[in-house]
Amino acid sequence: MGNFETMTPSRFYREVPLMEDPSVRSNIWNIGFYGQFQTKIAKGLDLMAGLRFDYGGYPKAEFNQKLYDEMGIRTDNKIKSFVIQPRFQFDWNINEQGKDFLKFGAGIFSSDINNYMIINNLVFDGKHLATVDVTSNEVPFPDFNSYRNDYNTVPTLSQYQIPTINYTGKDAKIPIVYKANISYTHFFNERFRAGIAGYMALGRNNYYYYDRNMAANPFFTLDNEGGRGVFVPLESLKEGRIDWKAGRINNKFGRVLELVSDGKVNQFSFVIDTSYRYWKDGEITASYTWSDIKDNTSYNGNVANSATLSTMIQSDPRDLRMTYSDNQFRNKVVIYGNSPTIAGFTLGIRYSGIGGTRFSVTSGGNVNGDFVDNNDLAYIFPNIAQTILDDPQVGEALKNYISDYNGKIAERNGGKNGFYGVWDLRVAKKIKFDKIGAFELSVDIFNVANLLNKEWGVNKSYGNTSLYRINKFNPDTRQFEYAKNISGSGLAPLTGNPYQIQIGAKYSF
C-alpha cells in the first residue's frame, strides 16, 4: 500500500506505517450454484426461470483491543454474504407470426463487494498505519542543511501520530440489485422495425463509510445557513479555519470509518428505438432514452476517505438523502446513418447527444467540521444570489439552480445542464481483389462540427462548482463570512473533445 500525502500552507496530512514491515494477508473466495429451465407455456410464449445461490468468504480484520476498550467498536466483523437470487424472463412471439414480440423479465442480482473495501479494512485496522494531521505552527520549518549534516534532526512528527481506522460494520451486507424490464418490438416488414422498452433497477446495500469518531450531534448550528450543524466546538474555530480533530469523540484515534450498507439507487429508463434498411446495404438507426437516476450516495468504491470526499451533504455526513445521482442524465439521442455501398464507397454519419446531467454548488470550505473541505453544499444567500443572477456571463443552468434554492441550502445535484451533442463522419473505400481478399481505406472525423466552427461541438456544462470562499468566522455572530467565488468565471466551462481525424487501412482475406 502506498502512503497518501498532501501539504498546503496551513495543513499537512499523511498516513504513516506503525510497524516496520506491515503484512496483511487476505483470502477471498466465492461459491455459487445456479439452475434454470426453459419451457413453452402457451402459443408463442416461452418462459425461462432460474435460481442462483451465492456465498462469499471474506477475511476478517485483526481485532483492535484498544479501540474496543475505548469506544466499544469491533474491527473483526464479517460481511453477510449469502444471497438467494431468483429471476425469470417471458418471451412472447404474438400469434407466432414473427412480427410482434413482447418480453418481460425480473430478478434479483447480487454483486461481489469491491475488494478494495476489504483491503481498506484489513490495512487500516489501527495496527498498521497512523495519521499525522497538523496545521500552522505545528508544521516544522524545513532545515535541509541540518538534515544533510545530521539525519537525526529530520522531524518525525511522531508525537502527532494517531491511528486511523477503517472497519467492517456488524450489519454490512453484499450489494443487491432488483431488476425488471419490459419491451415490445414490431416488425413492419423485413427491413423496418421499431420498439419501446422500459427498465428498472433498484440497488440496495451499496457500500459507504461513516466516521464513528465524529461527534454524534453538532456543537452549534449556523442559524443564517438554514440551521446547518457544526461538529466542532465554537471555541476551536480560528480565523475561519475548522480543525476537524476538535470534534472527535476520542482523541486517541483519528477517523474511525465504518463500512455500512446504507447506499441506495433507484434507476428508471425508457427507450424508443427503430432501424430501417433501405436500398442495398444502406441503414438508418435511431434511439431515444429517457432516464431518471436517484441515489443517496454515488460512491462506488476506492479508499474509504473517498466516500466522504465524493458525497455532497447539507449538514451531517451520516444523513444520506435520496437526490439526483452523479450519474443522472435526462435525455439521450443516438442517430446513425450508413449509405449504400456505391463503387466501393460508403458514407456514415452518427449523432449522439445527452442532456440533463447534474451538478452541485459548494461552500468552498469545511463548514460543518467533518474533515472534508469540498463536500458542504452552499447556502444560497439572497444578496449574493442576486449578483449572480444579474451577471450576464453566468450560464442559465447555474442561474436556475441558484433561483430554485435561493434562501436555502442547495440540494445535491440540484443543478441541471442543457443538451449537448456531437456529429461524427466516416468515409470508407473498399477495393476487392479476386481470390486474395479486400483492402479498405477509411477516414473518420470525430466531432466534425468542431472542424467547421470552433464554437460548435463544445460541451458547455457545469460540474461541481465552489460558489464561495471562506474569509473568516465571526464568533460573535456565529457566522462564516464568505466572498463570492463566481463572477465572469461563472460561465459554463468548455469541455468535451475537439475534432479528431483518424485515417485507417485494413486488409482482409
Side-chain angles (χ1 to χ4, degrees), residues 153-256:
T153 64
V154 176
T156 65
L157 299 177
S158 59
Q159 68 272 31
Y160 298 109
Q161 287 187 14
I162 47 177
T164 183
I165 308 288
N166 299 165
Y167 73 98
T168 301
K170 62 183 179 64
D171 296 321
K173 306 177 184 68
I174 291 296
I176 297 291
V177 179
Y178 303 90
K179 291 185 177 182
N181 66 86
I182 185 170
S183 66
Y184 169 71
T185 303
H186 176 71
F187 286 83
F188 296 91
N189 52 52
E190 63 180 10
R191 289 181 170 269
F192 181 31
R193 57 159 290 279
I196 184 171
Y199 302 91
M200 178 193 76
L202 306 179
R204 296 296 182 266
N205 302 340
N206 203 8
Y207 29 72
Y208 193 70
Y209 281 89
Y210 294 144
D211 187 355
R212 296 306 188 190
N213 199 21
M214 177 181 169
N217 299 301
F219 286 87
F220 66 98
T221 58
L222 301 173
D223 295 336
N224 70 321
E225 296 191 30
R228 189 201 305 268
V230 180
F231 291 82
V232 295
L234 178 65
E235 60 272 14
S236 69
L237 276 73
K238 299 176 181 178
E239 299 177 357
R241 288 187 290 105
I242 287 185
D243 183 0
W244 66 275
K245 299 189 297 296
R248 286 175 294 167
I249 296 173
N250 191 308
N251 291 329
K252 295 179 181 179
F253 302 94
R255 305 193 86 197
V256 179

Side-chain angles (χ1 to χ4, degrees), residues 430-440 506-508:
K430 195 170 199 177
I431 305 171
K432 295 183 178 180
F433 302 98
D434 290 341
K435 299 181 181 180
I436 60 173
F439 188 72
E440 182 180 86
K506 181 174 71 174
Y507 177 72
S508 57

Side-chain angles (χ1 to χ4, degrees), residues 185-195 272-278 282-287 336:
T185 303
H186 176 71
F187 286 83
F188 296 91
N189 52 52
E190 63 180 10
R191 289 181 170 269
F192 181 31
R193 57 159 290 279
I272 300 173
D273 72 301
T274 185
S275 66
Y276 175 62
R277 291 185 294 112
Y278 60 103
E283 184 176 11
I284 298 174
T285 65
S287 69
Y336 177 74

Side-chain angles (χ1 to χ4, degrees), residues 4-14 133-137 139-140 241 373:
F4 174 73
E5 180 178 315
T6 62
M7 188 169 183
T8 68
S10 61
R11 183 176 179 189
F12 177 90
Y13 173 81
R14 185 177 182 183
D133 192 321
V134 291
T135 58
S136 302
N137 58 355
V139 180
R241 288 187 290 105
D373 289 336

Side-chain angles (χ1 to χ4, degrees), residues 170-418:
K170 62 183 179 64
D171 296 321
K173 306 177 184 68
I174 291 296
I176 297 291
V177 179
Y178 303 90
K179 291 185 177 182
N181 66 86
I182 185 170
S183 66
Y184 169 71
T185 303
H186 176 71
F187 286 83
F188 296 91
N189 52 52
E190 63 180 10
R191 289 181 170 269
F192 181 31
R193 57 159 290 279
I196 184 171
Y199 302 91
M200 178 193 76
L202 306 179
R204 296 296 182 266
N205 302 340
N206 203 8
Y207 29 72
Y208 193 70
Y209 281 89
Y210 294 144
D211 187 355
R212 296 306 188 190
N213 199 21
M214 177 181 169
N217 299 301
F219 286 87
F220 66 98
T221 58
L222 301 173
D223 295 336
N224 70 321
E225 296 191 30
R228 189 201 305 268
V230 180
F231 291 82
V232 295
L234 178 65
E235 60 272 14
S236 69
L237 276 73
K238 299 176 181 178
E239 299 177 357
R241 288 187 290 105
I242 287 185
D243 183 0
W244 66 275
K245 299 189 297 296
R248 286 175 294 167
I249 296 173
N250 191 308
N251 291 329
K252 295 179 181 179
F253 302 94
R255 305 193 86 197
V256 179
L257 297 175
E258 178 191 2
L259 175 66
V260 297
S261 299
D262 290 352
K264 299 178 181 179
V265 58
N266 297 336
Q267 179 176 356
F268 302 91
S269 60
F270 297 93
V271 180
I272 300 173
D273 72 301
T274 185
S275 66
Y276 175 62
R277 291 185 294 112
Y278 60 103
W279 185 51
K280 294 185 177 179
D281 56 346
E283 184 176 11
I284 298 174
T285 65
S287 69
Y288 168 78
T289 302
W290 179 95
S291 175
D292 188 85
I293 311 171
K294 293 182 178 179
D295 61 26
N296 59 1
T297 173
S298 299
Y299 173 68
N300 198 32
N302 211 320
V303 297
N305 269 346
S306 298
T308 57
L309 295 173
S310 62
T311 302
M312 305 298 169
I313 50 96
Q314 293 191 339
S315 182
D316 191 334
R318 295 154 298 195
D319 180 20
L320 299 181
R321 301 176 55 178
M322 292 291 290
T323 58
Y324 280 109
S325 169
D326 293 355
N327 304 308
Q328 161 70 6
F329 68 92
R330 178 60 80 203
N331 307 291
K332 182 183 289 185
V333 175
V334 178
I335 303 173
Y336 177 74
N338 192 56
S339 73
T341 303
I342 301 176
F345 284 95
T346 57
L347 173 67
I349 299 176
R350 174 187 172 92
Y351 174 81
S352 56
I354 190 170
T357 58
R358 293 279 170 162
F359 65 97
S360 302
V361 289
T362 60
S363 294
N366 184 12
V367 178
N368 67 341
D370 68 345
F371 174 86
V372 184
D373 289 336
N374 60 354
N375 72 337
D376 294 291
L377 291 161
Y379 181 85
I380 310 302
F381 295 99
N383 60 326
I384 296 181
Q386 194 58 51
T387 65
I388 296 173
L389 296 174
D390 293 339
D391 190 336
Q393 296 192 74
V394 175
E396 285 301 314
L398 181 55
K399 287 184 176 181
N400 292 337
Y401 188 10
I402 296 299
S403 296
D404 290 342
Y405 294 95
N406 198 353
K408 298 181 288 187
I409 299 178
E411 194 71 76
R412 179 175 71 101
N413 289 325
K416 181 173 69 172
N417 288 307

